[in-house]
Amino acid sequence: DVGEGPLVALGRRFPVGMVAAILAYQEPMWVLRTSSAVCRAMHAASRNPRCWPSLRLVTSHAERWLEGFLSLLAPTCGQLQELTLDIAFENPRLAVALPGGLLFHCLRQLIIRPRDFEALSLAAELLECVESPALRKVELEGPVLSEALLSGLCNAALAASGGLQTVKLLWTPQTQCPMFLDESIALCLERLFE
């Protein structure tokens, strides 16, 4: 897998994919810090999609963790089944772009909680990468629900064969983010629930 040779341990050869499947049951931080530093085969296994059936990023300092998270998301996105992002940025003027080639084909559950405008922009961009017929559950929660975010949700819902079983939209306006529902957002909501 991934152009790396097998892992040789105790005189036996183990395919990288098999090692990745075993690593999926370990603590994520241990996998990334300890096992991936052992050798090239273990590093490849720690980045293998079988090692990461689900990913979850919860932080109020997204810019500190996003580079590492995206480096893990890029090779695993095609097989990822569950993704949770609950993020906010410390630097309100930071612009982040997703790497090219991200496509989520196997996603079953997506939970996104953007806590600020920068996280909202990233979430809308991420939703445009979801083309999963298996998608069944989507939760969006935040102080702002933009047209881009809801349009991305509509596109993801169209790709879900059999339709979404659960859609949770929770709009939690705050004093610094006044509640405003324009016509484009209303049209996106109507399109979503048709």
Side-chain angles (χ1 to χ4, degrees):
D1 292 53
V2 195
E4 298 292 332
L7 174 70
V8 179
L10 302 171
R12 300 187 95 172
R13 299 168 69 87
F14 300 96
V16 169
M18 185 174 91
V19 175
I22 293 168
L23 290 177
Y25 293 97
Q26 302 301 317
E27 287 294 319
M29 294 310 289
W30 179 83
V31 169
L32 293 174
R33 287 188 180 147
T34 307
S35 69
S36 69
V38 172
C39 64
R40 288 174 44 150
M42 286 294 278
H43 180 79
S46 71
R47 302 306 191 264
N48 187 290
R50 291 183 188 169
C51 186
W52 302 100
S54 65
L55 285 174
R56 182 173 171 233
L57 179 64
V58 179
T59 182
S60 59
H61 310 289
E63 57 271 40
R64 294 182 190 178
W65 301 102
L66 209 51
E67 183 179 346
F69 181 75
L70 291 176
S71 72
L72 189 57
L73 189 61
T76 61
C77 67
Q79 297 297 316
L80 197 63
Q81 296 174 19
E82 297 179 10
L83 177 62
T84 300
L85 288 179
D86 187 343
I87 59 172
F89 287 86
E90 275 183 308
N91 184 348
R93 291 177 297 255
L94 187 65
V96 177
L98 291 176
L102 282 184
L103 281 178
F104 299 92
H105 295 293
C106 298
L107 211 55
R108 289 183 295 140
Q109 176 177 302
L110 179 62
I111 299 171
I112 301 177
R113 295 184 183 108
R115 302 294 179 198
D116 54 32
F117 288 108
E118 291 72 25
L120 180 71
S121 175
L122 184 67
E125 193 176 342
L126 185 118
L127 271 168
E128 291 297 332
C129 301
V130 176
E131 296 179 359
S132 176
L135 189 63
R136 294 294 172 260
K137 179 180 179 181
V138 176
E139 293 182 15
L140 297 176
E141 176 184 336
V144 178
L145 296 179
S146 69
E147 177 186 2
L149 186 74
L150 294 174
S151 178
L153 175 58
C154 287
N155 292 338
L158 287 173
S161 64
L164 296 174
Q165 293 175 350
T166 305
V167 176
K168 177 181 173 184
L169 294 174
L170 184 57
W171 190 2
T172 56
Q174 300 170 348
T175 56
Q176 66 268 29
C177 301
M179 191 170 179
F180 181 72
L181 181 67
D182 67 9
E183 183 179 346
S184 60
I185 292 176
L187 288 173
C188 282
L189 288 171
E190 180 182 351
R191 193 173 115 207
L192 179 64
F193 292 111
E194 284 183 336

